[in-house]
Amino acid sequence: MKSLLLPSVALFAFITPTIVAAPRPPAVYGGFEVGKKFTFTVNTRSSASNSGAGLVNPAPIPKGVPNLAVGQQVTFTIGKKGELKAPKINLAFLSDGGTSNSYMGKVKAGNISSATVGKNPTTGEPTGIALYYVVNKVSRTGITSSQVTYTLNP
């Protein structure tokens, strides 16, 4: 029994550093590694609201939607599960369409948030971002639906 113990311990000691030392490749979602950061500038901002009283365009940015200004720089990070993150923005990775990635927020009471990140087909680097928000509010006077869209470029 002792004769088997020493070779077993030696074999374990030889294999363990190899297993532990092997680095895990970074997780990749839609061609973007977890932790990837990119900064884009808000190019356009559109906000409209529609209710029984009619269309308001431009409309105030609804509560819960990031209030980004044209010219503002926003740094995005790819999260641990591929989500698109920035201040007050956290959208789950949805799909890789080849030349763009789709992201979606949690749908709450008919409110929707989503994003599309365009990618260079040759390099895979992000080329632009479109953020979309729809906020529906029910009150005694009816339903108000607000839509906010931002486009961002490098």
Side-chain angles (χ1 to χ4, degrees):
M1 187 68 144
K2 285 184 180 182
S3 61
L4 289 176
L5 183 61
L6 185 58
S8 297
V9 170
L11 180 62
F12 181 78
F14 176 76
I15 292 175
T16 302
T18 306
I19 295 170
V20 174
R24 260 175 86 176
V28 177
Y29 295 88
F32 300 148
E33 287 185 10
V34 168
K36 180 176 182 61
K37 292 180 185 274
F38 41 95
T39 301
F40 281 63
T41 303
V42 177
N43 186 43
T44 63
R45 165 182 147 154
S46 169
S47 178
S49 180
N50 194 1
S51 67
L55 179 67
V56 177
N57 188 4
I61 303 297
K63 184 179 178 181
V65 173
N67 192 353
L68 306 176
V70 172
Q72 179 179 344
Q73 290 196 327
V74 181
T75 299
F76 294 88
T77 304
I78 302 300
K80 292 179 183 178
K81 296 180 181 177
E83 64 272 27
L84 184 66
K85 297 176 117 183
K88 297 185 180 181
I89 299 170
N90 188 354
L91 304 171
F93 176 73
L94 191 61
S95 67
D96 180 352
T99 58
S100 66
N101 289 345
S102 297
Y103 299 86
M104 185 89 164
K106 293 180 181 175
V107 178
K108 297 178 187 173
N111 298 335
I112 301 167
S113 55
S114 65
T116 302
V117 178
K119 298 187 296 187
N120 180 308
T122 305
T123 65
E125 288 297 309
T127 58
I129 301 174
L131 298 170
Y132 312 98
Y133 295 90
V134 176
V135 177
N136 295 300
K137 183 178 178 184
V138 179
S139 67
R140 286 183 227 158
T141 59
I143 298 173
T144 301
S145 181
S146 301
Q147 300 84 30
V148 179
T149 304
Y150 297 103
T151 58
L152 297 91
N153 296 322

